[in-house]
Amino acid sequence: MTISIGCNAAPFAGQKARKLLVPLHINVPPAPGISATQAQVRVRFLDTTSPTAAFAIQEIPGVWNAVPTTPFVVSATPAFDPRTTPELFFTAYASFSDFFDPTGASLPPAPSYSARYRIEVFDPTAAPTAPPLDFLEFTLTGNASPEQSKDVIFALDFGSSMLTADNPNHLARLQSAFPRVVALFRSDDTLGVSSFSDNNTTIPSQNFPHADRGGANQTQRDHANAVIPLLVPDPNAPANKSIQSALNGARNLTVPSSTATVVLVTDGQNQGRIAKPTNPTSALFIVDDGTTSVINSDRMVSTGGYTMFATQALGDFKVEKLLTQLLIDVSASSFITDPEGSLAPGQKLTFPVHVTEADTELEVIVFSNRATLLQIGVKDLPVAPSPSDGHHPQDGGNEHHGHDEHYGHHGHHGHHGHHRRCGNGSEDQDVSGNGFVIARRTVLLEQPKPDEVRVPTVTVSRGLVDASSDDAPVHFNLMVVAKTDLRLDAQLTASGLTVGSDLLFSVALSEYGQTWDHTGVSVHVELTHPDGGKQTLHLTKTAPGRYQKDLRSFRIGVYTAHFIVTGKSLVQRRPFRRECLRSIAIFPRNDCCQEPAP
């Protein structure tokens, strides 16, 4: 008698340069005529017709354990009696990843990828060479879209209200922050810049596609620096600037695609009502007291929506931090950690970086008005070897443990990581400039087990003797960002836009494209109220991988939420930390949110 093994494995839709776990839903009905009294289920990867793809069967400790002597095989526990046990249902996970030429198209014909797997019901008490009690072979198919580069158009406000009398004023903050944030663009990203003022005049818009990979990033930075001196408002111009015109002008740029995300940077003053955009649009509203009403904030639509900063909620580098957050949302990356600090001569600060096997690349970003005085070191990070070492990043290669590399404004020392774009020759480079230092490191695909590696650290230090003429502390903001398959999706929404509405804090945590029922996960929000008061909220688990909490709003102004999630990764149980910033504005009753007349 045979066992009627069943498997439902739907075609998958993945993305290059990301690992995807594909559910294999298995059912094993009882077979009264089987002679064996014990049975287990194992899943075996057989072969693939896709030479550029990476297929395997994923080990998940405690659920599907690898068979030590046989590669690409996992077995389920515990054993069961195949004669009398009611129908069993298992979910194993095939793994798919294609890191070859991530921005290139998938290979024809469709579906682009396929692999053969076999499900076996076997007797664990029989000899290892004994045939299984029964088996089922099936083919898994799917497609993968190319890795997406950033495609962004900035619409910058240089109206007279940006000269608000604080120190420094809004325009000065934008002028210092914008070139620093543009340095985050890669050579294959696309940047467009538009601007607007009170009298609706605009600086001639320009954009830079990635036609020249070797110099595109530097061209983008040069352009950003060239735009800044042109942002000089006319204090005598009429206060009639139109944000709608600014958005329309940005959309009229032709080289960035029609689906590019527009990032609007404005103080939100002297504005008219805008139509809700149909394309991705984010906005950074520059307000200081946390209580300024920004009438259009509810009209912004994108992954991150809109964001504001309030002086009491964030540190010295508010605009840089939130513009970076917007770009991270666009590129689907995640914050690992976001500390701040200050250093006197000879001091240093060290921060742990909880890297997991789901992380494939890190960006270490330091913003400081005196960045030339700082040195940044990374230690114990398992970085991928150079392709010249004879290793492809997909193969893992050699680890680098105990390696301490330093880099700063004056130059780069140690080994450089490489951008994971096998096939096109592009590499990451450390970038530094006025007010920032950025370093990118590609992490090994298959990292050591948790007991085999120390926790990586980032050290920010200042020499005893430096170029400064005083001993004043150097303030900095350190941001560590990961290109990762361990994703945090956090949202801050409200039941309404006026005071008294409920704020809803929600988090969805996923790994390799799947939602897991993790244990030991902690999710909390450090909430800053419009009046500067702070509160810690602990979110409650509502479903596997989902957490939320609500809170009644009692104050008018900007609420800033710093989401922090900690736990352990799925496969290797390595500690992780993920963070993000979200904000929302609450308005006075009857003072906002009215739809314009037809």
Side-chain angles (χ1 to χ4, degrees):
M1 181 177 178
T2 60
I3 304 174
S4 301
I5 305 170
C7 178
N8 177 17
F12 64 85
Q15 182 180 359
K16 287 190 171 187
R18 290 196 178 278
K19 185 176 181 179
L20 176 68
L21 298 189
V22 184
L24 310 178
H25 300 292
I26 303 166
N27 62 289
V28 181
I34 294 294
S35 59
T37 60
Q38 291 191 62
Q40 284 185 285
V41 177
R42 63 189 174 206
V43 183
R44 184 188 303 270
F45 168 72
L46 297 179
D47 55 47
T48 176
T49 58
S50 306
T52 63
F55 281 98
I57 185 72
Q58 180 65 56
E59 177 190 9
I60 302 175
V63 182
W64 290 90
N65 300 313
V67 177
T69 58
T70 309
F72 300 116
V73 177
V74 293
S75 61
T77 56
F80 61 93
D81 188 334
R83 305 166 303 169
T84 59
T85 303
E87 184 170 14
L88 295 175
F89 295 90
F90 302 97
T91 301
Y93 290 90
S95 67
F96 165 81
S97 58
D98 183 359
F99 286 90
F100 181 81
D101 191 18
T103 58
S106 298
L107 297 177
S112 301
Y113 302 94
S114 66
R116 289 195 311 131
Y117 289 84
R118 184 164 68 190
I119 302 167
E120 299 174 344
V121 178
F122 68 99
D123 184 349
T125 64
T129 57
L133 300 175
D134 207 348
F135 67 90
L136 170 69
E137 290 189 3
F138 68 94
T139 300
L140 177 66
T141 63
N143 289 283
S145 59
E147 185 180 25
Q148 300 300 305
S149 302
K150 287 192 288 289
D151 192 1
V152 178
I153 305 168
F154 286 98
L156 306 178
D157 183 354
F158 67 111
S160 58
S161 62
M162 292 284 284
L163 295 177
T164 301
D166 54 356
N167 187 22
N169 60 50
H170 294 165
L171 184 60
R173 292 177 180 179
L174 173 59
Q175 288 173 325
S176 63
F178 181 60
R180 298 173 183 175
V181 173
V182 167
L184 295 171
F185 279 70
R186 310 292 186 99
S187 60
D188 55 350
D189 295 330
T190 304
L191 165 68
V193 182
S194 178
S195 53
F196 63 100
S197 185
D198 297 330
N199 55 8
N200 292 328
T201 58
T202 62
I203 295 171
S205 302
Q206 300 186 44
N207 41 63
F208 295 92
H210 56 268
D212 176 15
R213 288 187 180 275
N217 181 263
Q218 186 61 51
T219 302
Q220 293 164 346
R221 293 167 56 200
D222 290 344
H223 174 57
N225 283 295
V227 164
I228 291 305
L230 301 177
L231 298 179
V232 180
D234 178 1
N236 299 317
N240 64 345
K241 71 184 177 188
S242 169
I243 288 182
Q244 183 67 65
S245 296
L247 292 173
N248 293 343
R251 285 282 173 218
N252 287 334
L253 290 179
T254 56
V255 174
S257 71
S258 60
T259 59
T261 298
V262 171
V263 176
L264 173 73
V265 185
T266 178
D267 61 354
Q269 302 302 306
N270 303 327
Q271 61 185 341
R273 193 67 177 169
I274 65 174
K276 191 168 185 176
T278 56
N279 292 53
T281 304
S282 293
L284 171 59
F285 292 101
I286 303 178
V287 298
D288 279 306
D289 57 10
T291 61
T292 301
S293 294
V294 180
I295 199 72
N296 286 325
S297 60
D298 63 312
R299 315 296 285 185
M300 301 299 160
V301 289
S302 74
T303 302
Y306 68 92
T307 187
M308 303 183 185
F309 75 77
T311 301
Q312 65 269 28
L314 300 173
D316 292 336
F317 306 97
K318 310 171 186 67
V319 181
E320 289 92 334
K321 183 182 295 188
L322 290 175
L323 277 176
T324 300
Q325 175 75 66
L326 289 175
L327 294 182
I328 287 171
D329 288 337
V330 170
S331 61
S333 297
S334 296
F335 275 132
I336 286 185
T337 189
D338 178 26
E340 295 187 346
S342 62
L343 295 172
Q347 287 188 328
K348 70 177 181 180
L349 290 173
T350 298
F351 305 92
V353 181
H354 293 293
V355 180
T356 77
E357 70 279 3
D359 302 324
T360 57
E361 186 180 80
L362 294 186
E363 281 187 315
V364 179
I365 306 165
V366 173
F367 292 124
S368 174
N369 290 328
R370 306 171 76 188
T372 56
L373 306 182
L374 301 178
Q375 274 202 326
I376 317 301
V378 179
K379 188 174 183 180
D380 295 325
L381 180 66
V383 296
S386 165
S388 62
D389 296 338
H391 299 282
H392 190 290
Q394 185 170 325
D395 300 325
N398 296 326
E399 305 161 16
H400 298 283
H401 292 297
H403 176 59
D404 192 356
E405 51 183 25
H406 295 275
Y407 43 93
H409 184 83
H410 296 293
H412 318 304
H413 307 281
H415 300 293
H416 292 297
H418 293 273
H419 195 20
R420 194 179 300 278
R421 299 199 184 283
C422 303
N424 65 13
S426 178
E427 297 180 359
D428 278 335
Q429 297 293 327
D430 295 341
V431 181
S432 61
N434 182 22
F436 69 89
V437 179
I438 300 171
R440 298 183 173 107
R441 295 294 178 268
T442 301
V443 184
L444 286 177
L445 281 178
E446 296 299 332
Q447 296 193 27
K449 299 294 183 181
D451 57 351
E452 297 174 354
V453 66
R454 291 168 290 181
V455 175
T457 57
V458 174
T459 300
V460 185
S461 60
R462 180 180 174 186
L464 285 170
V465 179
D466 54 40
S468 65
S469 58
D470 59 71
D471 294 334
V474 175
H475 300 283
F476 67 88
N477 188 93
L478 169 67
M479 305 170 75
V480 181
V481 179
K483 180 180 291 185
T484 181
D485 291 312
L486 201 170
R487 304 292 307 284
L488 165 64
D489 178 16
Q491 300 294 333
L492 172 56
T493 57
S495 60
L497 294 173
T498 59
V499 65
S501 301
D502 288 332
L503 305 179
L504 178 62
F505 305 84
S506 58
V507 161
L509 195 64
S510 63
E511 212 169 344
Y512 306 115
Q514 301 294 328
T515 299
W516 306 98
D517 194 4
H518 281 284
T519 58
V521 173
S522 172
V523 182
H524 72 276
V525 171
E526 296 176 354
L527 180 66
T528 302
H529 291 252
D531 63 354
K534 296 184 181 298
Q535 181 180 9
T536 299
L537 304 174
H538 294 276
L539 275 61
T540 302
K541 182 179 178 180
T542 58
R546 297 186 178 274
Y547 307 81
Q548 68 179 39
K549 187 177 182 64
D550 54 52
L551 178 73
R552 183 66 56 86
S553 65
F554 292 103
R555 296 177 178 85
I556 298 166
V558 179
Y559 287 81
T560 302
H562 184 183
F563 289 82
I564 301 175
V565 180
T566 59
K568 290 188 176 181
S569 61
L570 172 73
V571 176
Q572 293 189 5
R573 307 295 298 162
R574 294 172 63 89
F576 71 80
R577 180 183 178 96
R578 295 292 183 269
E579 304 183 17
C580 72
L581 294 170
R582 296 289 185 262
S583 61
I584 198 166
I586 297 297
F587 304 98
R589 296 185 187 276
N590 302 320
D591 189 40
C592 79
C593 320
Q594 301 297 319
E595 291 293 332

